Amino acid sequence: MIDLHYDRDGLVPAIAQQHDTGEVLMLAWMNREAVEETLRSGRVCYFSRSRNALWRKGETSGQTQRLVELRVDCDEDAVLLLVDQVGVACHTGRRNCFFRAVRGDALVELRAPAVDPRSLYK
Amino acid sequence: MIDLHYDRDGLVPAIAQQHDTGEVLMLAWMNREAVEETLRSGRVCYFSRSRNALWRKGETSGQTQRLVELRVDCDEDAVLLLVDQVGVACHTGRRNCFFRAVRGDALVELRAPAVDPRSLYK
């Protein structure tokens, strides 16, 4: 099994990138168990810091991420997940979580939700 | 100025992505001062956790990152930097830091250094 340098909470940041378009979908966190489950199952599993539990992406919303490749950075303290995203990655109903950008002193919204988030979490 | 949810060390993770190709170059950290300097100067500035100081990317290596756009995620606790990278982003002399991937139980190297890292840090 691969060895990563987990932080003092036992976590590494994980970037999810759509494997074919290059779109950066989200940033979340993984502990050792999440990394191992993801590699074993081929479905991306994170660690939810707010729920303090494994977070099998899409288990309630259906918006799963199939793992295409797991890459590790030079310091072995961050991972890049090349994934195939089903539907939308963001809980707001947008394809990716980075939908606001700085313009001057303000944040502007770059895109509206693609789906109603209430339809994702029934 | 934009307001982010910095962690207990005063940091947010920052993904640097080449603005035109979509290549994910690196993941590093920013504190409030680094975010403000980056927005003000248009040159990416991180916070180095190992040196506990601002890290003006490329200040010793010349491998600078020009900021094209700074995006913020849904939870306001991670940023995506669209940048124009001069030369190589990784201190190992590779274009990006995510140059190893899991294959079976091992990490394999996807690419060799583009430049000799000793030439970057004189």
Side-chain angles (χ1 to χ4, degrees), chain B residues 28-61:
Chain B
W29 299 82
M30 300 177 101
N31 63 1
R32 185 184 303 270
E33 196 179 347
V35 170
E36 291 179 0
E37 175 170 322
T38 296
L39 288 171
R40 192 171 57 242
S41 70
R43 289 274 189 105
V44 177
C45 173
Y46 299 105
F47 183 84
S48 167
R49 298 180 301 172
S50 57
R51 295 201 313 263
N52 201 40
L54 288 180
W55 164 29
R56 295 177 180 89
K57 175 71 178 162
E59 69 183 333
T60 54
S61 68

Short mmCIF file of all heavy atoms in Angstrom, two decimals, chain B residues 28-61:
data_model
loop_
_atom_site.label_atom_id
_atom_site.label_comp_id
_atom_site.label_asym_id
_atom_site.label_seq_id
_atom_site.Cartn_x
_atom_site.Cartn_y
_atom_site.Cartn_z
N ALA B 28 -0.47 24.00 -2.57
CA ALA B 28 0.30 24.63 -1.50
C ALA B 28 -0.68 25.34 -0.58
O ALA B 28 -1.89 25.08 -0.65
CB ALA B 28 1.34 25.59 -2.08
N TRP B 29 -0.18 26.22 0.27
CA TRP B 29 -1.02 26.83 1.32
C TRP B 29 -0.89 28.33 1.27
O TRP B 29 0.16 28.87 0.92
CB TRP B 29 -0.59 26.27 2.69
CG TRP B 29 -0.77 24.80 2.76
CD1 TRP B 29 0.10 23.85 2.28
CD2 TRP B 29 -1.91 24.10 3.26
NE1 TRP B 29 -0.45 22.60 2.47
CE2 TRP B 29 -1.68 22.72 3.06
CE3 TRP B 29 -3.11 24.50 3.85
CZ2 TRP B 29 -2.59 21.75 3.43
CZ3 TRP B 29 -4.02 23.54 4.23
CH2 TRP B 29 -3.76 22.18 4.02
N MET B 30 -1.95 29.00 1.65
CA MET B 30 -1.94 30.46 1.72
C MET B 30 -2.52 30.90 3.05
O MET B 30 -3.49 30.30 3.53
CB MET B 30 -2.78 31.05 0.59
CG MET B 30 -2.29 30.68 -0.81
SD MET B 30 -3.37 31.32 -2.14
CE MET B 30 -2.41 32.74 -2.67
N ASN B 31 -1.94 31.95 3.62
CA ASN B 31 -2.59 32.64 4.73
C ASN B 31 -3.22 33.93 4.19
O ASN B 31 -3.14 34.21 2.98
CB ASN B 31 -1.61 32.90 5.88
CG ASN B 31 -0.47 33.82 5.48
OD1 ASN B 31 -0.41 34.29 4.36
ND2 ASN B 31 0.45 34.06 6.41
N ARG B 32 -3.85 34.68 5.05
CA ARG B 32 -4.54 35.89 4.58
C ARG B 32 -3.59 36.84 3.87
O ARG B 32 -3.91 37.41 2.82
CB ARG B 32 -5.20 36.58 5.77
CG ARG B 32 -6.05 37.79 5.39
CD ARG B 32 -6.59 38.49 6.63
NE ARG B 32 -7.36 37.59 7.46
CZ ARG B 32 -8.67 37.39 7.34
NH1 ARG B 32 -9.34 38.04 6.41
NH2 ARG B 32 -9.31 36.55 8.14
N GLU B 33 -2.40 36.97 4.43
CA GLU B 33 -1.43 37.89 3.84
C GLU B 33 -1.01 37.43 2.44
O GLU B 33 -0.84 38.25 1.53
CB GLU B 33 -0.22 37.97 4.78
CG GLU B 33 0.69 39.14 4.54
CD GLU B 33 1.86 39.16 5.54
OE1 GLU B 33 1.82 38.42 6.55
OE2 GLU B 33 2.82 39.90 5.29
N ALA B 34 -0.85 36.12 2.26
CA ALA B 34 -0.46 35.59 0.95
C ALA B 34 -1.57 35.82 -0.08
O ALA B 34 -1.30 36.17 -1.23
CB ALA B 34 -0.13 34.10 1.07
N VAL B 35 -2.82 35.62 0.35
CA VAL B 35 -3.95 35.87 -0.56
C VAL B 35 -3.96 37.33 -0.98
O VAL B 35 -4.09 37.66 -2.17
CB VAL B 35 -5.28 35.47 0.11
CG1 VAL B 35 -6.47 35.96 -0.73
CG2 VAL B 35 -5.36 33.96 0.32
N GLU B 36 -3.80 38.21 0.00
CA GLU B 36 -3.87 39.65 -0.31
C GLU B 36 -2.72 40.08 -1.21
O GLU B 36 -2.91 40.82 -2.16
CB GLU B 36 -3.91 40.46 1.00
CG GLU B 36 -5.23 40.24 1.72
CD GLU B 36 -5.34 40.99 3.04
OE1 GLU B 36 -4.36 41.68 3.41
OE2 GLU B 36 -6.39 40.87 3.69
N GLU B 37 -1.52 39.59 -0.90
CA GLU B 37 -0.38 39.96 -1.75
C GLU B 37 -0.55 39.44 -3.17
O GLU B 37 -0.24 40.14 -4.14
CB GLU B 37 0.93 39.45 -1.14
CG GLU B 37 2.10 39.74 -2.08
CD GLU B 37 3.47 39.51 -1.49
OE1 GLU B 37 3.67 39.82 -0.31
OE2 GLU B 37 4.35 39.04 -2.25
N THR B 38 -1.05 38.20 -3.28
CA THR B 38 -1.25 37.61 -4.61
C THR B 38 -2.23 38.44 -5.43
O THR B 38 -1.99 38.73 -6.61
CB THR B 38 -1.75 36.17 -4.46
OG1 THR B 38 -0.74 35.39 -3.81
CG2 THR B 38 -2.08 35.55 -5.81
N LEU B 39 -3.33 38.84 -4.79
CA LEU B 39 -4.34 39.63 -5.51
C LEU B 39 -3.80 41.02 -5.88
O LEU B 39 -4.09 41.55 -6.94
CB LEU B 39 -5.61 39.76 -4.67
CG LEU B 39 -6.43 38.48 -4.54
CD1 LEU B 39 -7.53 38.65 -3.50
CD2 LEU B 39 -7.02 38.07 -5.89
N ARG B 40 -3.00 41.58 -4.98
CA ARG B 40 -2.49 42.92 -5.21
C ARG B 40 -1.41 42.93 -6.29
O ARG B 40 -1.38 43.81 -7.15
CB ARG B 40 -1.92 43.46 -3.88
CG ARG B 40 -1.61 44.92 -3.87
CD ARG B 40 -1.26 45.38 -2.46
NE ARG B 40 -0.14 44.63 -1.89
CZ ARG B 40 -0.20 43.87 -0.80
NH1 ARG B 40 -1.33 43.75 -0.13
NH2 ARG B 40 0.86 43.22 -0.36
N SER B 41 -0.52 41.93 -6.24
CA SER B 41 0.66 41.96 -7.12
C SER B 41 0.44 41.23 -8.44
O SER B 41 1.16 41.48 -9.41
CB SER B 41 1.85 41.32 -6.39
OG SER B 41 1.64 39.92 -6.27
N GLY B 42 -0.50 40.27 -8.45
CA GLY B 42 -0.66 39.46 -9.65
C GLY B 42 0.38 38.36 -9.79
O GLY B 42 0.39 37.65 -10.80
N ARG B 43 1.24 38.24 -8.79
CA ARG B 43 2.21 37.14 -8.72
C ARG B 43 1.81 36.25 -7.55
O ARG B 43 1.57 36.77 -6.45
CB ARG B 43 3.62 37.67 -8.44
CG ARG B 43 4.27 38.41 -9.58
CD ARG B 43 4.97 37.43 -10.50
NE ARG B 43 5.78 38.16 -11.48
CZ ARG B 43 7.10 38.25 -11.43
NH1 ARG B 43 7.79 37.68 -10.45
NH2 ARG B 43 7.75 38.90 -12.37
N VAL B 44 1.82 34.93 -7.76
CA VAL B 44 1.34 34.05 -6.70
C VAL B 44 2.33 33.98 -5.55
O VAL B 44 3.53 33.75 -5.75
CB VAL B 44 1.03 32.64 -7.23
CG1 VAL B 44 0.61 31.73 -6.08
CG2 VAL B 44 -0.07 32.70 -8.29
N CYS B 45 1.79 34.19 -4.35
CA CYS B 45 2.55 34.13 -3.10
C CYS B 45 1.85 33.12 -2.20
O CYS B 45 0.65 33.23 -1.97
CB CYS B 45 2.58 35.51 -2.46
SG CYS B 45 3.32 35.55 -0.82
N TYR B 46 2.59 32.13 -1.72
CA TYR B 46 2.05 31.13 -0.79
C TYR B 46 2.58 31.41 0.61
O TYR B 46 3.35 32.35 0.84
CB TYR B 46 2.46 29.71 -1.23
CG TYR B 46 1.97 29.30 -2.58
CD1 TYR B 46 2.81 29.25 -3.70
CD2 TYR B 46 0.64 28.93 -2.77
CE1 TYR B 46 2.36 28.87 -4.95
CE2 TYR B 46 0.17 28.53 -4.02
CZ TYR B 46 1.04 28.50 -5.09
OH TYR B 46 0.57 28.11 -6.32
N PHE B 47 2.18 30.52 1.53
CA PHE B 47 2.79 30.52 2.86
C PHE B 47 3.51 29.18 3.01
O PHE B 47 2.90 28.11 2.88
CB PHE B 47 1.74 30.68 3.95
CG PHE B 47 2.35 30.77 5.32
CD1 PHE B 47 2.83 31.97 5.81
CD2 PHE B 47 2.47 29.64 6.13
CE1 PHE B 47 3.42 32.06 7.07
CE2 PHE B 47 3.06 29.71 7.38
CZ PHE B 47 3.53 30.92 7.85
N SER B 48 4.79 29.24 3.27
CA SER B 48 5.58 28.02 3.44
C SER B 48 5.45 27.53 4.88
O SER B 48 5.88 28.21 5.81
CB SER B 48 7.05 28.29 3.12
OG SER B 48 7.84 27.20 3.57
N ARG B 49 4.86 26.35 5.04
CA ARG B 49 4.71 25.78 6.38
C ARG B 49 6.06 25.35 6.95
O ARG B 49 6.28 25.41 8.15
CB ARG B 49 3.73 24.61 6.36
CG ARG B 49 2.32 25.03 5.93
CD ARG B 49 1.37 23.86 5.90
NE ARG B 49 1.85 22.82 4.98
CZ ARG B 49 1.32 21.62 4.88
NH1 ARG B 49 0.28 21.28 5.63
NH2 ARG B 49 1.81 20.75 4.01
N SER B 50 6.99 24.93 6.10
CA SER B 50 8.29 24.48 6.61
C SER B 50 9.15 25.68 7.02
O SER B 50 9.89 25.59 8.00
CB SER B 50 9.01 23.63 5.56
OG SER B 50 9.16 24.34 4.35
N ARG B 51 9.05 26.77 6.28
CA ARG B 51 9.86 27.94 6.63
C ARG B 51 9.09 28.92 7.50
O ARG B 51 9.66 29.89 8.01
CB ARG B 51 10.32 28.67 5.36
CG ARG B 51 11.27 27.86 4.48
CD ARG B 51 12.08 28.77 3.55
NE ARG B 51 11.26 29.76 2.87
CZ ARG B 51 10.77 29.65 1.63
NH1 ARG B 51 11.01 28.57 0.93
NH2 ARG B 51 10.04 30.62 1.11
N ASN B 52 7.76 28.69 7.65
CA ASN B 52 6.90 29.57 8.44
C ASN B 52 7.02 31.03 8.00
O ASN B 52 7.17 31.94 8.81
CB ASN B 52 7.26 29.44 9.93
CG ASN B 52 6.11 29.88 10.83
OD1 ASN B 52 4.94 29.61 10.54
ND2 ASN B 52 6.43 30.59 11.90
N ALA B 53 6.92 31.20 6.69
CA ALA B 53 7.10 32.54 6.12
C ALA B 53 6.40 32.60 4.78
O ALA B 53 6.12 31.57 4.16
CB ALA B 53 8.59 32.84 5.94
N LEU B 54 6.13 33.82 4.32
CA LEU B 54 5.60 33.99 2.98
C LEU B 54 6.58 33.40 1.97
O LEU B 54 7.79 33.48 2.14
CB LEU B 54 5.36 35.47 2.67
CG LEU B 54 4.19 36.13 3.40
CD1 LEU B 54 4.08 37.60 2.99
CD2 LEU B 54 2.87 35.41 3.14
N TRP B 55 6.01 32.82 0.91
CA TRP B 55 6.81 32.15 -0.10
C TRP B 55 6.39 32.71 -1.45
O TRP B 55 5.35 32.33 -1.97
CB TRP B 55 6.59 30.64 0.02
CG TRP B 55 7.02 29.82 -1.14
CD1 TRP B 55 8.03 30.07 -2.03
CD2 TRP B 55 6.45 28.56 -1.55
NE1 TRP B 55 8.12 29.05 -2.96
CE2 TRP B 55 7.17 28.12 -2.68
CE3 TRP B 55 5.42 27.76 -1.06
CZ2 TRP B 55 6.87 26.91 -3.33
CZ3 TRP B 55 5.12 26.57 -1.71
CH2 TRP B 55 5.84 26.15 -2.82
N ARG B 56 7.18 33.65 -1.93
CA ARG B 56 6.88 34.24 -3.23
C ARG B 56 7.38 33.27 -4.28
O ARG B 56 8.58 33.19 -4.54
CB ARG B 56 7.51 35.63 -3.33
CG ARG B 56 6.87 36.59 -2.33
CD ARG B 56 7.46 37.96 -2.28
NE ARG B 56 6.73 38.75 -1.28
CZ ARG B 56 7.04 38.82 0.02
NH1 ARG B 56 8.10 38.18 0.49
NH2 ARG B 56 6.29 39.52 0.85
N LYS B 57 6.44 32.54 -4.84
CA LYS B 57 6.78 31.44 -5.76
C LYS B 57 7.74 31.93 -6.84
O LYS B 57 7.42 32.89 -7.56
CB LYS B 57 5.48 30.91 -6.37
CG LYS B 57 5.66 29.85 -7.44
CD LYS B 57 6.13 28.53 -6.89
CE LYS B 57 6.24 27.49 -7.99
NZ LYS B 57 7.08 26.36 -7.58
N GLY B 58 8.87 31.28 -6.94
CA GLY B 58 9.84 31.63 -7.97
C GLY B 58 10.85 32.68 -7.57
O GLY B 58 11.72 33.03 -8.37
N GLU B 59 10.79 33.13 -6.31
CA GLU B 59 11.69 34.24 -5.95
C GLU B 59 13.16 33.79 -5.96
O GLU B 59 14.05 34.60 -6.21
CB GLU B 59 11.32 34.91 -4.63
CG GLU B 59 11.52 34.09 -3.41
CD GLU B 59 11.04 34.80 -2.13
OE1 GLU B 59 11.03 36.04 -2.08
OE2 GLU B 59 10.65 34.10 -1.17
N THR B 60 13.41 32.50 -5.68
CA THR B 60 14.80 32.05 -5.82
C THR B 60 15.02 31.28 -7.11
O THR B 60 16.07 31.35 -7.71
CB THR B 60 15.22 31.15 -4.63
OG1 THR B 60 14.27 30.07 -4.48
CG2 THR B 60 15.25 31.94 -3.33
N SER B 61 13.98 30.56 -7.59
CA SER B 61 14.16 29.70 -8.77
C SER B 61 13.85 30.41 -10.08
O SER B 61 14.22 29.91 -11.15
CB SER B 61 13.25 28.48 -8.65
OG SER B 61 11.89 28.86 -8.76
#
